[in-house]
Amino acid sequence: MTIRGRIEDAFASWGRLVIRWRWVAIVAVALSTAVLGSFVPDLRVDNSEEAFLMPDDPERLLYDRFRELFDREDRVVIAVRAPEIFSFVFLERLRDLHRDLEESVPHLDEVTSLVNARNTRGEGDQLIVEDLMEEWPRSEGDLERLRERVLANPLYRNILISESGRMTTVSVKPDTYSSLSSSLSSSVSARDDALEGFGDAEAGEGEEARYLTEPETFEMVGALRAVVERHNAADFELYPAGGPVLEYSLTRTMQRDSTLFMALALAIIFLFLGLLFRRPSGVLLPLLVVVASAVSTVGIMVLLDVPFSMTFNILPAFLFVVGICDSIHILVIVYQRLAAGVSKEQAVVDALRHSGLAVLMTSVTTACGLLSFSLAEVQPIAQLGIIAPIGVMFAMVYTLVLMPALMAVLPIRSRIRPGGLRRKAAVDGFLAAVGDLATRYPWQVLGITALILLLGLGGLVQLRFSHNGLKWFPDADPMRVAAELLDDEFKGASRVEVLIHTSRENGLHEPDTLARLEEAMRRSETLEVDGRPVAKAVSIVDVVKETHQALNENRSEYYVLPRERELIAQELLLFENSGSDDLTEVTDTGFQTARMTVRTPWVDAMLYPDFLVDLREVVQETLGEGVEIEMTSGAVLFTRVFRGVIVSMARSYVFAFAVIVPILVLLVGDLRRGLTAVIPNLVPIYLVLSLMGWMGIPIDVSTLLIGGIVLGLAVDDTIHFMHKFNRYYEESGDARSAVHETLVTTGSALLFTSLVLATGFSVFLAAYLNNVRWFGLLASFATIVAFLADVLLAPALMVLVCRGAESRRPSRGEPADARVPSPASPR
């Protein structure tokens, strides 16, 4: 007996064992599902910028160090548009909005607007740092002086007031640390009070800093949106944007879409199973298997502390669609054996003998295709590469354990309607005729394939990488509209944080260091990103200059840096003692490290690497040796994600091929035929990438998944085609006859599972986000191409590669497959 025969007998023995212990199997699966399902309510969500990177990634570690030193850099910025900003009516409404935000929004550090913007001035020899509208304007003259003061202040321009003077902003800074840690809260409070606003910023001793959690962030953004809705009006338009709003919108959209995807996927599965089997057991049993496997998979996510993120948005529906195919192939054989008159128990045993190995191998290859993502440098993709294979294996195990046990317990109707048999025979006959055409004209099939691949080359050369979360949203999405408006009116909705380390105590008191820093700021403002200029650079230099001006009778010619070290130190001390804690946002307590914030336009992350190189060169060259610089921010993190996407794609493809190809060759049992069988699986990937190029769909963290998924699923069809082809070819020695018999017995199953997959993936076309719709379109297209490659290209290749083999036809009385009828082939 061959190895394959022994494995098939082992699956038959497994079927008898499960039937004998059917209640034990049912209770075991039910208990495991219930236990894992109990963890589902604890599933957390994380779509934050830093969550895209591994915890030990240098860029993420630097970002965390920045937050420990200067608090978080991402804020909610509300752009405010009105017919006239400097009017009594507008300013009163702005004050009401400001106060409502302070009173109604939780987890809030501070709100900054024209109402309380820093206004530094001198009275005699006294330095006064106060709110801009400490004294509320009472006359038209007061309004005009306010206008002149705001428009003349370079720190306000493109931050608090647009260059046109038609829009202003309200900046909402969330708490950096979570309120869930009492010691942390105490340390933050202590920092606010200690040493006159300039105390030790370290969080609780011996305790790791816990940043504001996503539920707390969402509570803050939800309350903020409610405030905005109360104050928004036709003559007082409010546009909230910023990192927390983007994160909130992504998560809420993802949660809404995930529910929709699962509902649509279940509806499609219900419809297809009903049309295929036309009996309750044919619908109920597969649904129980996929729902149990999906619930168990989510439970594993919680146990492994893997958060639900944008990348996981497709997972539940994906597991439904992919997992259903295992059940289908077991049920097809069971119903056929029942129709042949065997007992229900024997029908289950025969089904496992016939399809058990195929289900195992297709599950393994699909899991391997998904496992390739575990090597990714982008954390959500790497986590998907662990969780998704677990989900696929859950579906396989439940199919081989729960399905036979339930079939042994439940009453199953054995009659098959003649109409259904005729329809199946017609489909099989048509597909067999297609296969005959391919084997009769193999070189023509290869020629047409080569021509299609050549045409696809035009799209391939247009392929591009991208990471731009804003573009995922539709053009009319309120959050996207707000971000783009802010970007246009204020010349930039993004930023890069440059940390400048002098490596010596009070190094920022040196006039030469500050002068060089100012020059670096001015030079950085001459740079461009994607043809758009940098909006502004701010740092401790601005604080020193405005303090120096205030202490010199507020005269504009003194808005310069002092030339004496002692004077700089004295003026900074006076600013500290004024009651303002703004210095903590631009330097550390020892004046060793300066923070330079460079406001930039919002562009695709792939355009940032060159800009960051230019910015680093400009700053380093200006500051000279002895000064170390580091750069961080959400934009820098996204640039790192962009590099990670490229590396992750290469790794996933190499890993998938390195694992799946040997499996395919071993299953085929012939090196030449096995390697040839790989070719049809390359075509879907090639054409998907070509289609992306032609349609302008970029490779990002969502579409990156297509390659591994397509390869895993395409190989499944090939495995079942080759599994049957080998059996018939070994019996007949005639490749054309083997192809014909393969498609006669398995063609309809190949078609049906491909339709289930293509239609199942199409549910993602209903997504709100563009990148998820792209995934649905590409995955559906790839599934159809994979099916066509298996019924046209694979037969042509098999005929050519087997042409030199000795032919032998089976005797007329010898059946092609003596074991059981064989119409099934998983996905």
Side-chain angles (χ1 to χ4, degrees):
M1 181 181 293
T2 64
I3 294 177
R4 185 178 63 190
R6 292 193 187 96
I7 296 175
E8 290 174 346
D9 286 344
F11 273 104
S13 299
W14 171 257
R16 296 187 188 95
L17 181 66
V18 172
I19 290 172
R20 184 180 307 130
W21 298 96
R22 49 186 172 269
W23 286 111
V24 173
I26 292 172
V27 171
V29 172
L31 282 177
S32 65
T33 303
V35 170
L36 291 173
S38 67
F39 295 103
V40 171
D42 297 326
L43 181 67
R44 63 186 180 89
V45 181
D46 191 355
N47 280 311
S48 61
E49 298 167 335
E50 63 272 20
F52 280 93
L53 298 178
M54 300 294 185
D56 59 350
D57 189 284
E59 294 290 357
R60 180 167 176 175
L61 294 175
L62 173 59
Y63 187 71
D64 287 341
R65 290 201 305 273
F66 170 84
R67 290 194 292 183
E68 291 169 5
L69 190 59
F70 294 113
D71 290 342
R72 60 190 297 164
E73 52 92 25
D74 57 329
R75 305 186 179 200
V76 177
V77 180
I78 305 173
V80 187
R81 182 163 60 186
E84 175 55 57
I85 289 178
F86 298 99
S87 67
F88 292 114
V89 173
F90 175 85
L91 293 178
E92 288 171 1
R93 295 175 76 169
L94 181 65
R95 180 174 57 183
D96 291 342
L97 171 63
H98 186 113
R99 289 175 176 173
D100 200 358
L101 288 169
E102 290 181 325
E103 294 169 0
S104 304
V105 179
H107 312 297
L108 195 65
D109 188 340
E110 64 178 356
V111 178
T112 304
S113 70
L114 289 176
V115 174
N116 68 336
R118 186 177 75 229
N119 181 42
T120 306
R121 62 185 179 86
E123 285 188 4
D125 58 355
Q126 184 180 6
L127 178 69
I128 298 174
V129 182
E130 62 184 4
D131 292 345
L132 175 63
M133 288 193 280
E134 187 80 22
E135 295 184 9
W136 198 257
R138 300 180 181 279
S139 65
E140 291 296 333
D142 291 342
L143 285 177
E144 186 57 31
R145 284 188 290 274
L146 175 65
R147 177 199 296 271
E148 292 174 356
R149 192 158 64 246
V150 168
L151 296 180
N153 193 323
L155 278 180
Y156 295 167
R157 193 176 309 122
N158 286 331
I159 295 179
L160 279 173
I161 193 77
S162 63
E163 283 189 350
S164 63
R166 297 176 305 200
M167 296 188 70
T168 185
T169 62
V170 179
S171 176
V172 180
K173 181 183 177 183
D175 288 334
T176 300
Y177 298 106
S178 172
S179 61
L180 301 178
S181 171
S182 58
S183 61
L184 241 228
S185 299
S186 299
S187 75
V188 172
S189 178
R191 182 186 61 186
D192 292 339
D193 298 330
L195 298 180
E196 298 178 339
F198 210 81
D200 189 351
E202 292 181 4
E205 264 185 68
E207 180 174 349
E208 182 182 353
R210 183 176 185 183
Y211 296 112
L212 196 69
T213 64
E214 187 147 275
E216 290 173 318
T217 300
F218 289 175
E219 183 184 4
M220 182 210 72
V221 176
L224 181 144
R225 287 162 63 98
V227 171
V228 166
E229 190 172 332
R230 287 198 294 270
H231 291 266
N232 193 38
D235 57 348
F236 192 77
E237 300 175 62
L238 304 178
Y239 299 90
V245 176
L246 175 61
E247 185 180 338
Y248 176 92
S249 299
L250 275 175
T251 301
R252 288 292 178 260
T253 300
M254 180 188 70
Q255 292 171 335
R256 182 174 60 249
D257 280 357
S258 293
T259 303
L260 175 63
F261 297 156
M262 287 190 288
L264 290 176
L266 287 174
I268 288 171
I269 290 170
F270 187 91
L271 176 63
F272 270 93
L273 292 176
L275 291 175
L276 177 66
F277 295 122
R278 298 177 182 271
R279 65 187 80 196
S281 61
V283 176
L284 176 63
L285 296 179
L287 286 178
L288 286 175
V289 167
V290 297
V291 170
S293 62
V295 170
S296 299
T297 303
V298 176
I300 291 292
M301 285 182 63
V302 178
L303 288 177
L304 296 180
D305 195 30
V306 174
F308 201 76
S309 63
M310 176 54 58
T311 308
F312 282 85
N313 196 23
I314 64 171
L315 182 64
F318 172 81
L319 291 178
F320 285 168
V321 174
V322 174
I324 206 72
C325 296
D326 291 339
S327 302
I328 287 174
H329 293 289
I330 299 296
L331 286 175
V332 165
I333 303 303
V334 168
Y335 293 144
Q336 287 189 349
R337 297 300 288 153
L338 288 174
V342 304
S343 67
K344 181 171 64 174
E345 288 74 13
Q346 187 59 44
V348 172
V349 171
D350 288 346
L352 289 177
R353 173 186 284 116
H354 180 275
S355 296
L357 176 60
V359 167
L360 172 64
M361 296 306 295
T362 53
S363 297
V364 168
T365 53
T366 300
C368 286
L370 296 168
L371 188 64
S372 66
F373 300 134
S374 65
L375 301 177
E377 293 186 355
V378 180
Q379 181 169 242
I381 295 178
Q383 291 170 332
L384 182 69
I386 296 172
I387 298 300
I390 292 175
V392 171
M393 300 314 289
F394 265 127
M396 181 200 73
V397 171
Y398 287 0
T399 298
L400 298 178
V401 176
L402 182 62
M403 177 80 71
L406 288 174
M407 286 189 288
V409 171
L410 298 175
I412 298 179
R413 182 162 50 89
S414 61
R415 183 174 62 88
I416 294 182
R417 298 178 180 179
L421 291 175
R422 286 195 298 270
R423 285 191 294 271
K424 179 184 180 304
V427 172
D428 287 335
F430 171 76
L431 293 175
V434 172
D436 291 342
L437 186 67
T439 56
R440 189 176 301 118
Y441 304 105
W443 287 111
Q444 287 85 341
V445 171
L446 293 185
I448 294 173
T449 302
L451 179 61
I452 293 173
L453 296 180
L454 185 63
L455 293 174
L457 187 62
L460 207 61
V461 298
Q462 300 180 58
L463 200 60
R464 62 186 177 88
F465 290 89
S466 172
H467 186 83
N468 189 343
L470 202 60
K471 297 297 184 183
W472 295 345
F473 290 86
D475 293 343
D477 178 83
M479 190 279 304
R480 179 173 175 178
V481 169
E484 291 178 343
L485 180 65
L486 193 70
D487 197 46
D488 290 339
E489 289 289 335
F490 292 84
K491 309 305 178 186
S494 188
R495 63 175 64 192
V496 175
E497 301 289 353
V498 184
L499 299 180
I500 300 161
H501 306 289
T502 65
S503 302
R504 59 187 184 277
E505 189 80 14
N506 296 322
L508 295 175
H509 289 173
E510 298 292 340
D512 182 65
T513 300
L514 289 181
R516 289 176 179 272
L517 177 55
E518 182 178 28
E519 182 184 354
M521 293 166 59
R522 301 292 81 85
R523 289 186 63 186
S524 68
E525 291 172 343
T526 66
L527 299 177
E528 294 185 344
V529 188
D530 192 28
R532 298 177 58 190
V534 166
K536 181 183 288 293
V538 297
S539 75
I540 188 175
V541 167
D542 301 292
V543 176
V544 175
K545 289 167 66 176
E546 70 177 29
T547 302
H548 187 60
Q549 178 185 24
L551 292 173
N552 285 274
E553 301 176 343
N554 303 307
R555 293 160 60 182
S556 59
E557 63 265 29
Y558 282 94
Y559 189 73
V560 294
L561 290 170
R563 296 180 180 179
E564 297 82 22
R565 186 182 192 281
E566 292 74 15
L567 186 55
I568 292 174
Q570 183 182 9
E571 290 183 351
L572 286 173
L573 180 62
L574 287 173
F575 188 90
E576 283 185 63
N577 293 334
S578 69
S580 172
D581 61 356
D582 287 357
L583 269 178
T584 61
E585 295 188 358
V586 292
T587 184
D588 65 338
T589 57
F591 292 95
Q592 296 186 58
T593 299
R595 170 191 183 183
M596 183 175 83
T597 301
V598 182
R599 291 177 58 88
T600 63
W602 183 290
V603 297
D604 197 304
M606 69 172 294
L607 300 174
Y608 261 100
D610 291 341
F611 167 73
L612 293 177
V613 170
D614 293 341
L615 179 60
R616 180 180 291 276
E617 288 179 354
V618 163
V619 175
Q620 191 69 71
E621 177 185 313
T622 306
L623 293 173
E625 297 180 0
V627 176
E628 179 189 356
I629 68 168
E630 295 179 301
M631 295 188 297
T632 188
S633 72
V636 176
L637 293 183
F638 284 145
T639 301
R640 174 68 184 89
V641 171
F642 162 68
R643 296 199 307 269
V645 166
I646 299 176
V647 174
S648 301
M649 182 177 179
R651 286 181 178 176
S652 67
Y653 281 15
V654 171
F655 178 88
F657 278 107
V659 175
I660 291 177
V661 171
I663 292 176
L664 186 58
V665 172
L666 287 173
L667 184 69
V668 172
D670 180 271
L671 180 61
R672 189 168 63 166
R673 290 204 303 270
L675 292 177
T676 304
V678 174
I679 297 175
N681 299 288
L682 302 178
V683 173
I685 297 176
Y686 180 94
L687 291 182
V688 162
L689 294 176
S690 299
L691 181 65
M692 291 174 65
W694 284 118
M695 296 185 65
I697 299 175
I699 297 176
D700 60 14
V701 292
S702 296
T703 54
L704 166 68
L705 305 175
I706 292 293
I709 291 174
V710 168
L711 183 59
L713 296 178
V715 168
D716 290 353
D717 279 347
T718 303
I719 283 176
H720 291 284
F721 177 88
M722 294 304 301
H723 179 70
K724 283 302 187 64
F725 173 83
N726 277 343
R727 176 178 293 179
Y728 295 132
Y729 181 70
E730 290 169 3
E731 293 173 352
S732 68
D734 184 348
R736 290 183 59 183
S737 173
V739 167
H740 181 87
E741 291 300 320
T742 297
L743 292 176
V744 164
T745 55
T746 66
S748 60
L750 286 173
L751 175 62
F752 181 80
T753 51
S754 296
L755 288 175
V756 169
L757 287 171
T759 311
F761 284 132
S762 70
V763 304
F764 299 119
L765 295 174
Y768 182 76
L769 299 176
N770 294 325
N771 60 323
V772 181
R773 289 205 299 269
W774 294 336
F775 176 86
L777 171 67
L778 297 172
S780 298
F781 173 75
T783 303
I784 295 171
V785 172
F787 169 75
L788 294 176
D790 279 319
V791 298
L792 284 169
L793 183 57
L797 289 171
M798 287 302 106
V799 166
L800 293 176
V801 81
C802 297
R803 181 161 285 178
E806 183 180 354
S807 298
R808 119 180 133 75
R809 293 183 178 277
S811 63
R812 290 184 177 275
E814 182 184 359
D817 186 349
R819 289 188 180 269
V820 291
S822 124
S825 144
R827 35 180 200 280

